[in-house]
Amino acid sequence: DIARIMRGHGWAVWNIGNTGWVFTVVNMDDEIEVILAGGRDAKTCLPLWEATVLAEPAHKGLTIRIESRPAWRKLLPHWERRDDVLFLRV
């Protein structure tokens, strides 16, 4: 129920194979912004999360924005980087 309510307000909780969780929100610029992420193995979780987010039809035409940590920059080298922020157009 909580996930359904959150989605109605632009929030989403992504469960990545029970090894990681990512919280996102659609911000005022219509970007999917990563608010919080955590898990046991980013090397495994992050590609699964990226594939799931990119496959979501509702995300077509939006941009994903991540205030990046060094590990994310290494695992997502194909994303555009401006300062410490990563961007990817879906």
Side-chain angles (χ1 to χ4, degrees), residues 6-90:
M6 290 175 66
R7 281 190 188 273
H9 293 283
W11 287 84
V13 179
W14 304 88
N15 174 355
I16 303 108
N18 290 322
T19 61
W21 296 85
V22 178
F23 293 82
T24 61
V25 64
V26 177
N27 66 23
M28 300 287 272
D29 296 323
D30 276 340
E31 297 170 326
I32 301 165
E33 188 166 354
V34 174
I35 301 299
L36 177 67
R40 287 185 291 222
D41 184 10
K43 194 173 195 175
T44 301
C45 294
L46 201 50
L48 294 172
W49 171 78
E50 179 185 27
T52 303
V53 170
L54 294 177
E56 176 61 46
H59 295 164
K60 191 74 173 168
L62 296 178
T63 298
I64 304 171
R65 172 191 167 84
I66 302 173
E67 297 278 339
S68 66
R69 297 171 51 191
W72 287 58
R73 289 192 296 271
K74 289 178 189 172
L75 295 172
L76 299 170
H78 53 286
W79 287 47
E80 179 184 345
R81 180 177 172 199
R82 293 182 227 144
D83 298 319
D84 284 335
V85 180
L86 297 176
F87 294 91
L88 183 68
R89 182 95 168 151
V90 179

